[in-house]
């Protein structure tokens, strides 16, 4: 066939087909996602079966990299880091998390996939309060918690979007809390705990100028108990529940 026999319409069709194929390939590759977090937190302190609750909104940033959302059959992975902050009256709330997930994915059908993941990471949180008590003390309470992680995932892939549902648990290991008052500090170990989580994510493949947009609604629960045989430790428990939304650009 001579080149002159290829019509302009055919040439355009070939170009579009090539672009479409390149885009289809790109959405299965590992991606970076950077964006913002908005969350609502509820803290429940229970002492002698009597509870007190406090609610707090926070905001922050996150970054993820991997193919856990876009990959098909085989090995999947994702590494991520996030941080949140809130300044309320004379109290500052800060939190951060870094984690990595590794897993295997199998196909149920052309568009449906299930996977099993394991992983680990590190949680950090701090509450700082000024002018506490009759001596206007400065108080810092810091928690540090390495964790292991296991979960189950389900992915539904289409040309326009990818939906992922993941549920699992984080298991805190050798957690520690440190209280610092006007320079004097003391540390106490926390019990290892199983903390459930769930997340529903949608990756909109054709977002702004074909730049994918990721939206995630998530829930996490974290329980803290002192690792001590004292009476006050046995009677006291703190539970944090967080519901949040992540919105980011994928590239």
């Amino acid at each position: 066939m001579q080149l002159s026999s290829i019509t302009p319409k055919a040439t355009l069709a070939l170009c579009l087909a090539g672009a479409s194929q390149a885009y289809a390939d790109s959405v299965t590759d590992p991606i970076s996602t950077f964006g913002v977090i908005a969350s609502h937190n509820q803290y429940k302190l229970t002492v002698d079966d009597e509870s007190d609750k406090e609610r707090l909104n926070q905001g922050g940033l996150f970054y993820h990299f991997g193919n856990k959302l876009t990959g098909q059959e085989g090995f999947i992975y994702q590494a991520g880091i996030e941080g949140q902050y809130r300044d309320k009256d004379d109290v500052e709330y800060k939190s951060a998390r870094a984690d990595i997930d590794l897993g295997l994915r199998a196909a149920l059908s052309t568009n449906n996939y299930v996977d099993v993941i394991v992983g680990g990471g590190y949680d950090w949180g701090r509450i700082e309060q000024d002018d506490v008590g009759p001596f206007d003390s400065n108080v810092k309470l810091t928690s540090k918690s390495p964790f292991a992680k296991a979960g189950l995932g389900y992915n539904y892939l289409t040309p326009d979007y990818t939906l992922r549902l993941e549920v699992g648990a984080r298991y805190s290991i050798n957690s520690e809390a440190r209280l610092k008052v006007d320079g004097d500090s003391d540390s106490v170990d926390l019990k290892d705990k199983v903390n459930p989580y769930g997340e529903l994510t949608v990756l909109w493949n054709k977002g702004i100028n074909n730049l994918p947009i990721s939206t995630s609604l998530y829930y996490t629960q974290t329980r803290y108990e002192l690792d001590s045989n004292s009476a006050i430790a046995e009677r006291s428990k703190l539970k944090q529940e967080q519901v949040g939304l992540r919105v980011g650009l994928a590239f």
Side-chain angles (χ1 to χ4, degrees), residues 23-250:
Y23 181 78
D25 291 342
S26 69
V27 297
T28 63
D29 292 338
I31 59 172
S32 290
T33 308
F34 177 77
V36 298
I37 310 172
S39 68
H40 176 75
N41 301 264
Q42 177 178 279
Y43 297 88
K44 181 180 179 181
L45 177 62
T46 302
V47 180
D48 291 335
D49 296 326
E50 294 186 7
S51 300
D52 183 40
K53 295 181 180 179
E54 181 176 351
R55 290 175 171 83
L56 175 74
N57 296 322
Q58 287 183 295
L61 301 173
F62 76 94
Y63 172 76
H64 294 157
F65 173 78
N67 69 343
K68 188 172 76 168
L69 190 59
T70 58
Q72 298 182 4
E73 288 184 284
F75 176 66
I76 58 172
Y77 63 95
Q78 178 173 284
I81 187 170
E82 65 180 52
Q84 297 192 57
Y85 176 81
R86 171 67 186 271
D87 189 352
K88 180 182 180 182
D89 299 328
D90 293 327
V91 185
E92 284 187 333
Y93 298 82
K94 304 173 185 177
S95 64
R97 170 179 293 154
D99 61 359
I100 184 168
D101 297 336
L102 306 172
L104 290 175
R105 175 166 292 159
L108 296 177
S109 64
T110 304
N111 295 331
N112 295 274
Y113 299 85
V114 293
D115 53 72
V116 177
I117 62 168
V118 295
Y122 191 85
D123 270 329
W124 178 90
R126 173 173 290 172
I127 300 175
E128 300 184 35
Q129 188 169 359
D130 299 328
D131 304 326
V132 179
F135 301 104
D136 295 332
S137 299
N138 296 323
V139 177
K140 295 182 181 179
L141 177 62
T142 304
S143 62
K144 303 174 182 179
S145 178
F147 62 83
K149 177 181 178 181
L152 299 174
Y154 166 76
N155 275 30
Y156 179 71
L157 278 63
T158 77
D160 295 326
Y161 67 89
T162 299
L163 181 145
R164 174 174 177 80
L165 174 64
E166 180 178 321
V167 294
R170 298 180 178 92
Y171 182 72
S172 62
I173 305 169
N174 297 328
S175 302
E176 177 186 90
R178 176 180 291 271
L179 178 64
K180 185 175 183 180
V181 181
D182 292 335
D184 295 327
S185 63
D186 193 15
S187 298
V188 62
D189 293 332
L190 302 175
K191 290 183 178 180
D192 298 343
K193 286 291 181 182
V194 176
N195 301 302
Y197 74 90
E199 184 166 356
L200 179 65
T201 303
V202 181
L203 177 66
W204 307 95
N205 296 330
K206 299 177 181 178
I208 301 174
N209 294 326
N210 278 343
L211 189 63
I213 297 175
S214 173
T215 57
S216 299
L217 180 65
Y218 70 89
Y219 167 84
T220 64
Q221 181 186 115
T222 308
R223 294 180 295 161
Y224 306 92
E225 292 183 31
L226 298 177
D227 189 7
S228 171
N229 294 324
S230 67
I232 185 64
E234 293 297 329
R235 290 157 37 205
S236 304
K237 299 177 182 179
L238 176 64
K239 181 173 73 172
Q240 177 191 2
E241 293 180 285
Q242 182 177 111
V243 177
L245 177 67
R246 297 188 187 95
V247 179
L249 291 176

